[in-house]
Amino acid sequence: MSPGEKLDPIPDSFILQPPVFHPVVPYVTTIFGGLHAGKMVMLQGVVPLKARRFQVDFQCGCSLCPPPDIAIHFNPRFHTTRPHVICNTLHGGCWGVEARWPRLALQRGAAFLLLFLFGNEEVKVSVNGQHFLHYRYRLPLSRVDTLGIFGDILVKAVGFLNVNPFAEGSQEYPVGHPFLLTSRRLEVPCSRALPRGLWPGQVIIVRGLVLQEPKDFTLSLRDEAARVPVTLRASFADRSLAWISPWGRKTPISAPFLFYPQRFFEVLLLCQEGGLKLALNGQGLGATSLGQQTLEQLRELRISGSVQLYCVHY
Ligand code: GAL
């Protein structure tokens, strides 16, 4: 891109904040675009063997003096005879009434995955994929713009995600698929077998980071005969995203081009009757049609190009 060239403005909701790996605690970061219903924060970590307590605070600002209001204070405590979690809100320097949850699913010495799912009225928290608590907001969620992590915790990764747009209205709890950093299985080009093809309702999730000076990013689905009924391709030269047919016909996808060097992306493909629906960074972007038989006969997912992958799941 030449220096004078203007980029199309991109709606805020299209941009995902990159995950953070192995941050040093205490760790405080701005939540890009703040929090709103439909956002998720995923925290992968380990509780040290001698942990007394840690806290994950969703704060309104980050001033040190006076201390900021804390809309959601999530505070596991391990040093008592019965480990538990306290949630509370700090408003104008005063703590409210504590809410307390016994039977803490986090354990000293164990790795965990916490998922904070922000709704309209409350936040839901799951631990290792199991719903653990919900806490009603006492301060407006729109005031929250900062995440703070303090205390006895080793943080492996913090991710900021949007709820799967295809799951709207679903009662199912979103699954937090962990980020992997050093898995050989995620080396690019990356190939995954689809032993039973694709069926309506199945979702493919690909998360990663675009490398510096990228050329392209390709996700293709192949069948037993190594035919490629469908390919999704991002070309950086002309900043376009398109479906490519087996005959090389290109169907452009009209959406802001979201693949930027060093930036995080998430591709979701939902298999449905007659095709695949696409979402990028949590935004639905239409579908491509494919017959049910073609979908069932798919056997391999291949990802190649200028990306580093953190998660490939289906
Ligand atoms: C206090 C504690 C604070 C916070 C608060 C929550 O006793 O000092 O750090 O956890 O409880 O109610």
Side-chain angles (χ1 to χ4, degrees), residues 60 62-69 92-93:
C60 313
C62 56
S63 74
L64 289 176
C65 198
D69 284 352

Side-chain angles (χ1 to χ4, degrees), residues 121-238:
E121 313 282 334
E122 59 181 21
V123 58
K124 288 192 208 164
V125 185
S126 71
V127 180
N128 300 332
Q130 299 289 312
H131 175 72
F132 180 58
L133 64 82
H134 52 94
Y135 180 74
R136 262 186 99 79
Y137 305 136
R138 300 177 187 172
L139 291 176
L141 190 61
S142 56
R143 287 195 52 208
V144 178
D145 58 8
T146 304
L147 166 68
I149 304 172
F150 310 88
D152 309 319
I153 175 177
L154 293 169
V155 181
K156 290 202 244 174
V158 186
F160 304 86
L161 300 164
N162 287 329
V163 171
N164 172 355
F166 307 134
E168 231 164 86
S170 129
Q171 293 301 305
E172 254 176 61
Y173 215 82
V175 190
H177 299 292
F179 292 119
L180 301 173
L181 260 186
T182 47
S183 167
R184 295 206 64 178
R185 274 169 58 81
L186 290 179
E187 270 172 26
V188 178
C190 167
S191 161
R192 288 294 160 89
L194 303 169
R196 284 177 297 277
L198 288 183
W199 298 88
Q202 260 183 309
V203 181
I204 295 175
I205 303 174
V206 177
R207 294 186 180 130
L209 199 75
V210 176
L211 300 180
Q212 254 164 15
E213 299 185 29
K215 290 195 178 67
D216 56 21
F217 164 68
T218 303
L219 188 157
S220 58
L221 290 162
R222 290 158 193 256
D223 65 15
E224 278 161 331
R227 277 185 298 255
V228 192
V230 68
T231 299
L232 178 70
R233 178 168 300 144
S235 312
F236 290 87
D238 59 358

